[in-house]
Amino acid sequence: MGLLEAILLGFVQGVAEFLPISSSGHLAIMKELFGIDDVGLTFDLMLHLGTLVAVFIVYYKDIWELIVNGLAIVRDACINVIRFFQNRVGKKKKNYVNIISTPYKRFVMLIIVSTIPTGIIGLIFKKVFNLDNPMLIVPGISLLITGCILLISDMLEKGKKDEKTATFVDAAIIGISQGIATLPGLSRSGTTITCALACGFERSFAVKYSFIMSIPAILGANILDIKDLTSQSITGSELVNYIVGTVVAGVVGYICIKTMLVVVRKQKFKYFAYYCFAIGALASILFFVI
């Protein structure tokens, strides 16, 4: 892979991962239009690493609090297990610790609840559909569906739910939507943000929740692919190109996350919807022409 291809793919990854236009759908279309070979598992993992770094930079305060409170949940759960056995054998009963005692502990549990259905659906879809090299009609139709989803999002009323008031049912529903969005062409960010808005989430929190909940989903998917890295061999020049593409993905991703906060707040998803309609129609036509 050349340097220009790496930069182009890094740019597309950074833009389409966070703007609601589907990175997987655009990658499939680019392969057909420009004859770009398979990017390779190593580069794919590095691109996702770049976009994840962008999420960590934008939401580093929230993520740090989630890590600290997540560890506190594990600690409190262990304390409760110990006290359970102590209460079974001892005469003096000890009170159990309230595990979900802070908003961020609740936030952690919401993310966990969302991640479970995402993982289950993602694994099922990976076996049923050829997600690594889909037929062009799949991202074509999925992009048309994404356009419809984005139009719906602009029509939804402003919600008020945040980490304090969102329910675990809301989290499960959003997790299901993220699992379904593993289909190439179906925007993960657009689908999950729209679902969060439909559940009554406050708009800025819907964006935050969508991007932070992507961290365990992306990490989990990449960990499953690490076992296949042994079959990958890259040269020193290719590694340099990969690093450049990763940096481009991270920088562009950071800008796009900031852009999404403005877009969702001002209810301007319709412009991305029109774009998805155009690209989806193009991909569908190419499927029958090429």
Side-chain angles (χ1 to χ4, degrees):
M1 176 184 295
L3 179 61
L4 290 179
E5 285 183 337
I7 293 174
L8 176 61
L9 292 174
F11 179 83
V12 171
Q13 175 70 22
V15 170
E17 181 68 28
F18 298 116
L19 296 185
I21 55 177
S22 177
S23 59
S24 58
H26 277 69
L27 180 59
I29 295 170
M30 287 176 62
K31 287 180 181 179
E32 292 291 341
L33 289 180
F34 302 107
I36 297 177
D37 296 329
D38 187 10
V39 297
L41 181 58
T42 302
F43 188 47
D44 184 57
L45 293 176
M46 290 179 67
L47 287 180
H48 282 98
L49 174 63
T51 50
L52 280 180
V53 169
V55 176
F56 273 91
I57 292 175
V58 175
Y59 293 112
Y60 72 93
K61 291 182 180 179
D62 293 289
I63 293 172
W64 174 251
E65 288 293 339
L66 290 172
I67 293 173
V68 170
N69 282 271
L71 293 174
I73 288 175
V74 174
R75 178 202 63 202
D76 293 343
C78 292
I79 291 174
N80 283 343
V81 170
I82 293 172
R83 290 187 177 180
F84 171 79
F85 289 106
Q86 288 177 335
N87 290 338
R88 298 276 293 185
V89 298
K91 295 181 178 180
K92 186 177 180 181
K93 303 299 182 183
K94 294 184 177 181
N95 294 328
Y96 292 107
V97 177
N98 181 9
I99 294 178
I100 310 176
S101 57
T102 68
Y104 273 104
K105 284 184 178 180
R106 184 177 179 81
F107 199 167
V108 171
M109 296 305 299
L110 289 170
I111 295 295
I112 292 174
V113 171
S114 291
T115 301
I116 293 172
T118 293
I120 295 172
I121 296 173
L123 289 173
I124 293 174
F125 277 19
K126 191 174 182 65
K127 293 182 179 180
V128 176
F129 301 98
N130 183 10
L131 299 183
D132 295 325
N133 191 26
M135 293 187 297
L136 203 54
I137 192 65
V138 174
I141 294 176
S142 296
L143 280 165
L144 295 176
I145 295 174
T146 295
C148 295
I149 290 173
L150 296 180
L151 288 180
I152 292 173
S153 70
D154 279 349
M155 293 184 256
L156 297 173
E157 296 183 359
K158 294 182 179 180
K160 297 181 179 180
K161 290 182 181 179
D162 55 16
E163 62 270 19
K164 298 178 183 178
T165 54
T167 68
F168 294 117
V169 174
D170 295 332
I173 293 173
I174 298 170
I176 292 172
S177 73
Q178 182 171 242
I180 295 172
T182 54
L183 281 174
L186 197 58
S187 168
R188 191 208 65 81
S189 61
T191 301
T192 54
I193 290 174
T194 300
C195 186
L197 294 175
C199 289
F201 280 32
E202 189 273 327
R203 289 186 173 272
S204 295
F205 181 66
V207 176
K208 179 196 296 186
Y209 193 85
S210 171
F211 291 151
I212 291 180
M213 74 180 287
S214 73
I215 295 175
I218 294 174
L219 286 177
N222 288 341
I223 288 172
L224 291 176
D225 290 333
I226 286 178
K227 65 180 184 299
D228 299 322
L229 283 178
T230 54
S231 61
Q232 300 286 318
S233 60
I234 58 175
T235 64
S237 59
E238 284 179 327
L239 179 60
V240 172
N241 295 341
Y242 287 4
I243 293 173
V244 172
T246 301
V247 172
V248 170
V251 173
V252 174
Y254 175 86
I255 296 172
C256 289
I257 293 175
K258 292 292 188 178
T259 302
M260 278 293 289
L261 291 169
V262 177
V263 169
V264 174
R265 188 163 53 247
K266 295 187 176 181
Q267 296 176 267
K268 299 294 184 181
F269 263 174
K270 62 182 179 182
Y271 300 111
F272 293 106
Y274 301 149
Y275 173 81
C276 288
F277 286 142
I279 300 299
L282 173 63
S284 300
I285 293 172
L286 287 175
F287 173 75
F288 294 102
V289 173
I290 297 178

